[in-house]
Amino acid sequence: MNTKSDTVGQATAAAFARRNLKRRGLLKLAGASAAVVGVLTATGCAPADQPTASSTPAAQASNLAAGDTSHGADNFYTSDRVTVEKVTFKNQYQMNVSGNLFVPKDMDRNVTNPAMVVGHPMGAVKEQSANLYATKMAEQGFVTLSLDLSFWGESDGEPRNAVAPDIYAEDFSAGVDFLRTQSFVDRERIGALGVCGSGSFVISAAKIDPRIKAVATVSMYDMGGATRNGLGHSVTPEQRQAALAQAAEQRDVEFAGGATEYTSGTPEELNDQSTAIEREFYDFYRTARGNSPDTTTHPTLSSNSKFMNFYPFTDIETISPRPMLFITGDQAHSREFSEEAYRLAGEPKELVTVPGAGHVDLYDRVDLIPFDKLTSFFRTNLN
């Protein structure tokens, strides 16, 4: 590891969306480049119905390919050292947010302990990556809470798969609300961890919620910048305007009672034209490696344009002096977002680059994920 500091009905609706995507087509931007396709692929990463972390790939998707499980890929990891409880709590909009509460079995519940909220990739659910991180961090002595962001998984929100970055950020603060009511949690020692798109949502939350005492992101996507600009700023002004026009037109269709359209997300099928980034996401979300049943990673077309108005890195320096940790793979197509956040953030901050790791590798490959670094970061800063 190279460290630089200075310093580096919901299942039904999902299944309906999946069927219709094949018929209508996923990518609506005329002339989209490979880099644009990569961003669109990453703007969604898969909702599900399963409430606990006890599922196994075979139980969830016996008819799917196994996927690449090298480097210890273990999305459905469970631990006999941790208790798991399904919980539901309200966010500030009185929407029910679904979560899993992980508590170390050997933890002293008569004293207060450090805790953290853990968020899943954009378009995914807590059973994908978030539960793994929450379980591993609970093994290190933290109380952890994984959650389904609103409009996805088991949490409230209609229409399903809607993009609402302000509400996503609110869900992290609602998770803090919940943790602060637990008698065995220290109200002043709560952090937050976001994977992929949740990395940008937790930054957005921390800017206005000083109760979040430490922030870590892994394979972070700036969902605003990615949607506006594409990877490497590859989206042209004309493509951006075309996307906005299409979303606006679709609003008219849906307001008049027409069918919902969906966009982006992981492809349902691969072909000889599929990009390396599409294949990377497909290997996690569409195989037994990370799939959850009746899922779709595809946000609604009419709401996806809301990411154009999402600027999580603006004023990121105001989170200081609360510490921030950014973890990315040195092969990750999303690396630019962690590096930019690190550049803009105030002190203390740290950027960790994992050799040989791509973007999705850090979702579940436990031999690559630097859990030791996450542990030391949160132990030091939630002490």
Side-chain angles (χ1 to χ4, degrees), residues 233-245:
H233 289 252
S234 59
V235 173
T236 67
E238 293 76 19
Q239 288 172 328
R240 185 185 305 173
Q241 291 305 313
L244 293 173

Side-chain angles (χ1 to χ4, degrees), residues 40-307:
L40 292 175
T41 301
T43 57
C45 306
D49 289 328
Q50 304 305 309
T52 71
S54 61
S55 302
T56 65
Q60 297 206 22
S62 58
N63 61 328
L64 296 178
D68 179 2
T69 56
S70 64
H71 298 290
D74 201 359
N75 180 67
F76 301 99
Y77 175 76
T78 58
S79 174
D80 59 7
R81 297 159 51 194
V82 173
T83 65
V84 187
E85 177 186 358
K86 182 177 177 180
V87 299
T88 303
F89 50 92
K90 299 282 188 182
N91 66 18
Q92 203 169 47
Y93 300 105
Q94 297 304 299
M95 301 166 69
N96 288 314
V97 179
S98 176
N100 288 329
L101 182 67
F102 299 80
V103 181
K105 286 184 178 179
D106 61 358
M107 190 191 75
D108 186 352
R109 292 182 180 238
N110 295 314
V111 300
T112 57
N113 299 271
M116 70 184 72
V117 184
V118 183
H120 56 72
M122 172 57 205
V125 287
K126 58 188 180 297
E127 289 77 20
Q128 292 164 314
S129 195
N131 275 353
L132 169 62
Y133 275 81
T135 301
K136 288 289 189 179
M137 298 309 293
E139 287 183 330
Q140 299 303 315
F142 299 94
V143 178
T144 60
L145 173 68
S146 67
L147 49 77
D148 284 330
L149 296 176
S150 295
F151 305 99
W152 300 91
E154 296 182 302
S155 291
D156 283 356
E158 296 291 339
R160 303 308 296 165
N161 300 25
V163 169
D166 176 67
I167 297 178
Y168 299 162
E170 160 60 24
D171 291 337
F172 277 93
S173 288
V176 174
D177 294 340
F178 173 82
L179 287 173
R180 284 167 64 94
T181 68
Q182 306 306 300
S183 62
F184 47 83
V185 169
D186 188 327
R187 293 163 57 92
E188 301 306 320
R189 289 196 291 161
I190 298 175
L193 167 62
V195 180
C196 187
S198 277
S200 60
F201 308 143
V202 74
I203 289 171
S204 181
K207 288 192 297 184
I208 60 172
D209 191 342
R211 302 173 306 166
I212 299 174
K213 302 300 185 183
V215 175
T217 71
V218 179
S219 287
M220 189 253 293
Y221 249 87
D222 169 2
M223 294 307 305
T227 306
R228 285 186 299 276
N229 304 318
L231 296 176
H233 289 252
S234 59
V235 173
T236 67
E238 293 76 19
Q239 288 172 328
R240 185 185 305 173
Q241 291 305 313
L244 293 173
Q246 189 169 39
E249 180 181 351
Q250 182 59 27
R251 287 182 67 111
D252 288 338
V253 171
E254 293 173 8
F255 189 81
T260 302
E261 291 271 1
Y262 300 86
T263 189
S264 66
T266 302
E268 299 294 327
E269 298 175 352
L270 296 177
N271 55 48
D272 57 4
Q273 301 300 311
S274 297
T275 67
I277 295 174
E278 288 175 320
R279 294 176 186 278
E280 181 182 4
F281 282 100
Y282 185 95
D283 190 76
F284 182 80
Y285 288 109
R286 305 300 184 225
T287 73
R289 173 184 162 196
N291 179 264
S292 290
D294 299 316
T295 65
T296 167
T297 65
H298 311 293
T300 64
L301 174 62
S302 59
S303 70
N304 200 55
S305 59
K306 288 182 171 59
F307 277 140

